[in-house]
Amino acid sequence: MPKNYIDMDFVLENKKNRHLIILVHGLNGSESTWKGEDQRFVENLTKENYVKDNFDLALYVYGTKIIEISWFARIIRLLRGLINNKAKEDAKRFNVGIEKVSMPLVGQLNGYHEKYETISFISHSMGGLVTKSALTWLDSEILEKVYFFMSLSVPHIGAHLATLGAKIPVIGKNPQIMELKSMGKFTTLLNQRYGSIKIQPKIVYQWGIQDDVVPQPSAYPAHIPNNLTIATQDDHFSVVLIKNKRINVVYKRIMEELNIVTLPFLEIEADIPEGISFKVFIESILRSKRFNGIRIDFEGFTNKELNIELRESKIKSKSLVDFLIEIGELSINKMPKYIVEREKRTYNFTIKSIKNE
C-alpha cells in the first residue's frame, strides 16, 4: 500500500466476528509498523485463535513523513497533476494535521460500526492522538461501542523533540510536527475536547524507560491509576515489536483486555445439574476463569425465589444476557418474571425481579 494512502486496511475479516480491533500507526509510520515480520502485532494477533474467532483486525493507514515538501514544489506538482489529470493522486502526498488525519477514520467508523458490538484501538505514538481526535467526533451510539484503547508511547501533551524540530526550516512547516509540540495548542485543546466527552473507553497507558521521544509525563497523563499504566524497557520504536509474546507485558495485557471486552457477547454452553438452585448455578458459572471480571447482582428477589431449583438440561445461548434469561425458563417451579440489565460499557449486570411492576 502506498505511504500516502488513507484508508482502513482489513487484515483479518470474518462476517461472523462481532468485534473490531483497529491499529493506528504514528508519525512517519505506515502499515509496516504493525506487519511484515514475525515480531509485529499483525503476525502475532492473527495466530491467536481467540482473536480469529471473535475479532476483525484493521490497520488505519494515513500519509505521514517527517520532511515536508516545500510549498513551491507543491504548486509545481499540483499544476503538473492538473495538466495530466492526476491532481487527486498528487494531493495524497502531502502531510495534513492530526485532526484532518482523524476525520477519514471517523467516516470509516460511521460506515462499519453497525456490524460490531465493540471497537478497540491499539495506537502508537502520534496514532494515539489521531485516535483521541476521532473519538471526539463520534456520535454517542458509536462511542458506546469503543471499550478499549491501548496507548503505546503516545505523546498526550506533546514531545520536546517536536518543539525542537518545529524550529528547523525543512521540518518546521510540517503540520504534524507543529501539532506535536510539547504543551502546544493542539494537544491542549485536544485533551480538553477529549475530557469533555461523556463516554470514554478504558485506556491503558504504556511508557518505555528507554524512550527518548515521549517522556513519561506525556505518556502518562496526570492522575492515572497505577493499574492503567505499564512501564516497559522499550524505546519509542521497540514497543511495537513482540519478541516473546509469553513474557511481553504489553501483549499479555492487550490479550487480557480483549478477553474482557468480549465477555458479555460470547456464546455460552453449559450443563445444568438436576436440583441446583437458580442463584447457585449462576454463581458457579461466574467462578470459571472465562468470566473473570463479570459482576452480577440480584434485585427484588426473596431468598426462596433465588433458591428455586432448576431441572437437568443443556443450555446454549448467544450472549450472557440471553443466558441469564433462559436459565429462569428451566426452573422446576415457576420463577418470577425478571429482566437482565447491563450497566453501559461495563461488565456489571443486574437480574431484576419485575413481579411487582
Side-chain angles (χ1 to χ4, degrees), residues 5 18 22 91 118 121 141-142 212 216 248 303 318 325 328:
Y5 200 76
R18 296 191 290 164
I22 302 174
T118 73
F121 287 93
E141 178 186 4
I142 306 177
D212 293 327
Q216 182 179 353
N248 185 296
N303 286 333
K318 292 182 178 180
I325 291 174

Side-chain angles (χ1 to χ4, degrees), residues 319-349:
S319 69
L320 182 57
V321 170
D322 291 343
F323 179 75
L324 295 173
I325 291 174
E326 291 164 10
I327 291 171
E329 299 170 358
L330 299 172
S331 58
I332 294 174
N333 297 314
K334 188 175 182 180
M335 285 286 298
K337 291 182 179 180
Y338 64 87
I339 58 175
V340 178
E341 295 179 340
R342 178 183 169 213
E343 187 179 336
K344 282 186 177 180
R345 302 181 69 259
T346 73
Y347 309 102
N348 302 330
F349 294 77

